[in-house]
Amino acid sequence: QVQLVESGGGLVQAGESLTLSCSVSHNIFRDYMMGWYRERELVASISAGGTDNYADSVKGRFRITRDNVRNTMYLQMDSLKPEDSGVYYCNTRPVFWPWSKGTQVTVSS
């Protein structure tokens, strides 16, 4: 069974940055469109080939990337706002795999 491990969350002030990582336990990662979700709401997605898309609320501030050799996906989050706070999860898009624990992001004003 595929396992997902999110990391990189934390407590930051508004305007600061964080980078989240998602490690996937199986090479099948490279075949799937992947996404970052905040409280189960899609924030950003990236195709197997690297085409990215973003929710309007994060466009221009977040950047999703993937490393198909390391089976890892990233979310660079800049100019963070308090409304970006929440638990961030990674999964396929649409969701196929069991949800992991996620990583908590808290942005203080």
Side-chain angles (χ1 to χ4, degrees):
Q1 183 170 335
V2 176
Q3 293 185 327
L4 308 168
V5 179
E6 301 94 345
S7 63
L11 172 62
V12 297
Q13 293 188 333
E16 294 185 338
S17 299
L18 281 174
T19 299
L20 307 184
S21 298
C22 167
S23 177
V24 180
S25 63
H26 198 285
N27 288 342
I28 199 172
F29 164 82
R30 64 193 63 173
D31 296 330
Y32 282 87
M33 174 175 283
M34 295 293 298
W36 280 102
Y37 299 81
R38 180 175 61 233
E39 309 290 357
R40 305 296 198 267
E41 178 182 351
L42 184 67
V43 171
S45 64
I46 186 166
S47 71
T51 301
D52 53 358
N53 280 285
Y54 302 91
D56 288 344
S57 60
V58 306
K59 276 182 183 175
R61 300 188 298 118
F62 289 13
R63 182 168 180 249
I64 186 172
T65 57
R66 67 189 297 161
D67 184 335
N68 287 342
V69 173
R70 292 184 171 83
N71 295 339
T72 303
M73 180 175 66
Y74 305 95
L75 186 67
Q76 173 69 38
M77 305 188 295
D78 297 324
S79 302
L80 281 162
K81 303 176 180 180
E83 51 264 43
D84 295 322
S85 298
V87 181
Y88 283 72
Y89 303 87
C90 62
N91 212 310
T92 54
R93 183 193 179 193
V95 174
F96 288 131
W97 297 333
W99 294 101
S100 183
K101 294 188 297 183
T103 186
Q104 175 73 48
V105 172
T106 304
V107 185
S108 63
S109 57

